[in-house]
Amino acid sequence: MNEGGDNISDIHLMNGVLNNDYSSYNQLFTRYYTPLCRFVYGFVANRHDTEDIVQDVFLSLWDRRAKIRVTDNVKAYLYEMAKNTTLNHIRKEDNYRATLEQIETATHYDGNEAIDAAEMVDVVRDCIDRLPDRSRRIFLLDRIDGLKQKDISEQLGISVKTVKNQIWMALQALKRCFERKGIAR
């Protein structure tokens, strides 16, 4: 039985999705969006993040439809996708927070200038945005996405040594940026 009480089975809709039928995709979205939001909200307790995660699930479903093989339980498949996407989101958030904590321990506040957490985040983002494209991409894959250096090297088609060098250069550039902004030691 399906969530929406509709007469069209989940399998029929999924087969439509697999055959590039956008109408079937929309019906699956309508049927499962709210239940998946309730499920994801139980993990992240943030409405905005919940909606983003569930939308990512459905975007991934559409983008990967040529590779998907669901033969019996579409609902279980969607909930599994939602669980995995949620866990990846939580992991990225934890890595982002850990990176900010590392940066905070490497910085200090001038007694004459009070910098609150929001301003600090803006400074960090600004400094990261100023990194050269290649360094920024590798730094974000390493520190925010939590990828291993070997995985980054394979993904980008570069050596592990290059990845290590780019991370080191990014950290040095960030330190200089923080110093220019008056928040580094």
Side-chain angles (χ1 to χ4, degrees), residues 130-148:
R130 292 173 186 263
L131 292 172
D133 290 340
R134 185 176 185 182
S135 292
R136 181 178 58 248
R137 184 172 183 203
I138 292 170
F139 177 80
L140 292 173
L141 288 171
D142 178 67
R143 298 299 169 105
I144 305 303
D145 292 344
L147 294 180
K148 295 179 181 172

Side-chain angles (χ1 to χ4, degrees), residues 44-167:
V44 297
N46 178 297
R47 189 176 68 85
H48 179 72
D49 288 348
T50 294
E51 291 171 353
D52 285 349
I53 290 167
V54 174
Q55 288 172 12
D56 285 347
V57 167
F58 281 101
L59 286 172
S60 179
L61 176 70
W62 184 253
D63 289 344
R64 296 179 41 228
R65 66 190 177 279
K67 299 176 185 174
I68 295 173
R69 300 292 169 248
V70 179
T71 57
D72 56 351
N73 195 338
V74 174
K75 179 180 177 180
Y77 184 81
L78 290 172
Y79 275 81
E80 186 70 20
M81 283 182 72
K83 179 189 80 171
N84 291 335
T85 304
T86 301
L87 293 174
N88 286 338
H89 170 81
I90 292 168
R91 181 179 55 94
K92 286 178 185 177
E93 285 293 312
D94 288 346
N95 284 335
Y96 184 72
R97 279 190 222 105
T99 300
L100 286 180
E101 287 172 12
Q102 286 177 341
I103 290 169
E104 285 175 10
T105 60
T107 61
H108 74 281
Y109 302 111
D110 185 321
N112 299 325
E113 295 181 43
I115 299 177
D116 68 14
E119 288 175 312
M120 181 63 159
V121 169
D122 288 342
V123 168
V124 170
R125 284 185 178 149
D126 181 58
C127 288
I128 290 173
D129 287 344
R130 292 173 186 263
L131 292 172
D133 290 340
R134 185 176 185 182
S135 292
R136 181 178 58 248
R137 184 172 183 203
I138 292 170
F139 177 80
L140 292 173
L141 288 171
D142 178 67
R143 298 299 169 105
I144 305 303
D145 292 344
L147 294 180
K148 295 179 181 172
Q149 292 176 353
K150 182 176 185 265
D151 295 333
I152 296 170
S153 74
E154 291 172 1
Q155 182 177 334
L156 300 179
I158 57 178
S159 72
V160 173
K161 184 175 182 176
T162 300
V163 171
K164 288 179 182 181
N165 287 338
Q166 289 293 317
I167 293 168

